Amino acid sequence: MRNPGVGLRWFVAVLLALLVAPCSWAMDEELERVLQSQGVRFHVEGQVLGDMVIGSRGTVEVIWVNRRLAEALSRAQFPPQWLVDQVQKLDSVPRGHSLFAVAVRANKPFTVDLNRLIIGVPLRRELLLTREDRMLTELSSGEESFFGVLAPVTVKPGSFIPVGYGEDRAELKVSR
């Protein structure tokens, strides 16, 4: 004989999952909005043709790390760990500098040369916040490297910051 309580418990569990799911989606949507308003993605050695990118060595994503991002990450159900790691460095940012999280994803073998990275100005190795022995610089296809850097720029909502890697450039427009 079946236990009628099992069916009722299953029904309640499914109902609760359906009620909670939209809340978690909303929190992750908030994080996505913040990332879109404070980040930029560009391709190294690639040619953009409509929605496609051809011949790209890799993709570089640069995100301005601030309190707004930290709050969105804390409310997100499944925040990216590499961003959580960078937000933890927020209290150590000196005056006149801004913290940026950088993700490099290789499509072809890619050597990350930090001297070619530009965030407002060309960066120097001493502005790297992630220990070099904890990041990948020699990437094979499909590998990723994540790190945090200080940039000697002050970021304000509404500002435009040139970012790039070597000759490949983009502009980070920080939304208000």
Side-chain angles (χ1 to χ4, degrees), residues 53-97:
V53 178
I54 297 174
S56 173
R57 180 158 305 283
T59 304
V60 178
E61 186 172 5
V62 178
I63 300 167
W64 176 38
V65 178
N66 64 355
R67 298 280 176 224
R68 182 174 173 227
L69 176 62
E71 290 169 7
L73 283 168
S74 71
R75 289 190 290 270
Q77 185 173 4
F78 300 109
Q81 187 59 46
W82 71 276
L83 276 177
V84 172
D85 293 344
Q86 300 314 314
V87 165
Q88 293 174 357
K89 301 170 185 166
L90 200 51
D91 291 330
S92 64
V93 176
R95 185 176 298 274
H97 289 74

Side-chain angles (χ1 to χ4, degrees), residues 5-65:
V6 172
L8 180 61
R9 279 183 260 159
W10 181 83
F11 175 75
V12 170
V14 169
L15 182 63
L16 285 173
L18 290 173
L19 290 173
V20 171
C23 297
S24 65
W25 292 336
M27 286 184 229
D28 291 336
E29 286 175 12
E30 175 194 1
L31 176 59
E32 186 61 34
R33 278 194 309 276
V34 171
L35 290 174
Q36 287 178 0
S37 70
Q38 297 182 189
V40 66
R41 180 179 298 154
F42 60 95
H43 304 280
V44 176
E45 298 177 13
Q47 183 175 355
V48 179
L49 296 172
D51 292 340
M52 296 180 355
V53 178
I54 297 174
S56 173
R57 180 158 305 283
T59 304
V60 178
E61 186 172 5
V62 178
I63 300 167
W64 176 38
V65 178

Side-chain angles (χ1 to χ4, degrees), residues 151-164:
V153 295
T154 302
V155 180
K156 295 180 180 163
S159 61
F160 293 87
I161 301 157
V163 297

